[in-house]
Amino acid sequence: QAVLVLPFAVRGPKDAEWLGGGMVDLFQMALDGLGGYRVFHPSTAHRRLRELRNPSNVVDAAPVARALGARYELGGSVVVLGESVRLNFELYDAVRGRRVFPLVTQGDIARIGTLVDSLASVIVALGPLRNPSAAARTGEVITRYPGALRAYLAGEALARSGAHQMAADSLQSAIRQDSTFGWAYYSL
């Protein structure tokens, strides 16, 4: 089943806004191909979602999801307080126009990849396709350095917007902060 991940609303300090679009990239990495789900690449719906008044709202974005052929949407919010992060999200059936289920998790921002993995695994285990044996492993390959993750996600967003040199600079910054960050090397 196809899933469209929406930009997450961010509540917290101004310097945490990178997490809004960053969640799209993290969930795409964690959920795509897991348990039968196919997640649209973030650039696929970027332009259409920007035209919406509230691209984080699953009801508002449902027509975009349906037009792309997505059955489900994943949207929510990120709340940042100091070094802690809380992820609130819902899986929404864009075809039937109803919530499948909401989920919440929280933890240290340095372990956000692991938090996303836990949510992706719950989606697969409890969601419409129910495959409890599948497990996401993004947290194992993502960096544990928030600055490197921020630079990586900024690089991904810059590449989608066509600013390729700035994207490369951002990805190189991620690598300087964590020389073992494979996703940053791969994207570069």
Side-chain angles (χ1 to χ4, degrees), residues 139-162:
E140 294 176 7
V141 295
I142 216 74
T143 180
R144 65 178 187 262
Y145 299 99
L149 179 60
R150 180 179 184 167
Y152 166 76
L153 294 173
E156 289 291 312
L158 288 164
R160 279 195 298 278
S161 70

Side-chain angles (χ1 to χ4, degrees), residues 1-5 31-32 36-40 65 68-74 91-92 94-95 129:
Q1 296 283 346
V3 179
L4 176 63
V5 181
L31 192 57
D32 192 41
Y37 287 93
R38 181 176 57 86
V39 180
F40 285 98
L68 291 171
R71 172 67 187 263
Y72 300 104
E73 295 171 85
L74 182 62
L91 187 65
Y92 186 80
V95 173
L129 301 183

Side-chain angles (χ1 to χ4, degrees), residues 141-145 148-149 172-182 184-185:
V141 295
I142 216 74
T143 180
R144 65 178 187 262
Y145 299 99
L149 179 60
Q172 288 171 346
S173 173
I175 292 167
R176 279 192 303 276
Q177 294 176 60
D178 180 0
S179 63
T180 65
F181 193 179
Y185 281 105

